[in-house]
Amino acid sequence: LEQKGTPAKMVVIDSMAFHYRVASSASSTGNGNKSNSLSTTHNLTRMAAFLTELASEFNLAVLAMNHLTTRIEKDDNNNPGGTKMVPALGESWAHSITSRLMIDHYRHSHADASSSTGSHVMDEVRTCTLVKSPHKPTGTALFMITDKGIRGVPPQFLQSQATKRARLN
C-alpha cells in the first residue's frame, strides 16, 4: 500500500497463539517442555518488542489476536478442581502489551419491526471491552456486524436491556 501512496495504518496478526500452540503440542514429549516454554517466552518477548518498534517507527496500530484457553485448576491435594479461562499465550505476553481489548458475542432476540405477525429475529450482538490501557478508562461498546458493515446496536435494544436489568433488581 505504501508504494501506491496509501500509508498502512494498522497491522493485524490473527492469530499469534496458533503457531505457538501447534509447535508446543508437537514437541510435548519428554524433558523438552521446560526449555520449549522458555524458548516460547523468549520468542514472544522479542516479537512484542519488534511490534512495538514497528508501531512507533511507522505510526501504526498493531492488533495481535490471542485466544482464550481453559486451564484446569488443582486443589490442595493436587486433584483436578475447577476450570478458568486464561490467555493462550500466557503471562509473559499479557505483560508485554500496552492495551487489551476483550471481544465477546451473544445472541439477542427481538421483535421484527418489518413483520406484522409479531415474529422475532435473532441478532448476534458483540461487545468490545477495554480491559487494559495506560491512557483510557475501562469501558464496553456494543456493536453488530451486518451486511452493511460494523454498526452500533439500535436504541430499542439498549432500552430493552435496561428494562430487563430493572426487572432483575
Side-chain angles (χ1 to χ4, degrees), residues 100-123:
R100 180 181 304 147
L101 298 171
M102 179 73 74
I103 299 175
D104 203 354
H105 65 91
Y106 58 94
R107 296 196 184 281
H108 167 67
S109 174
H110 62 89
D112 185 355
S114 64
S115 170
S116 60
T117 63
S119 62
H120 278 69
V121 176
M122 289 296 285
D123 286 323

Side-chain angles (χ1 to χ4, degrees), residues 11-17 19 47 51 62-66 93:
V11 173
V12 178
I13 302 170
D14 183 21
S15 139
M16 291 289 292
H19 305 287
M47 178 67 73
L51 292 172
V62 176
L63 177 63
M65 304 291 179
N66 187 6
W93 182 258

Side-chain angles (χ1 to χ4, degrees), residues 90-103:
E91 293 299 317
S92 62
W93 182 258
H95 293 296
S96 299
I97 61 171
T98 306
S99 298
R100 180 181 304 147
L101 298 171
M102 179 73 74
I103 299 175

Side-chain angles (χ1 to χ4, degrees), residues 17 23 39 54 57 68 110 130 134 146:
S39 174
L54 188 71
E57 182 177 342
L68 293 176
H110 62 89
L130 179 62
T146 71

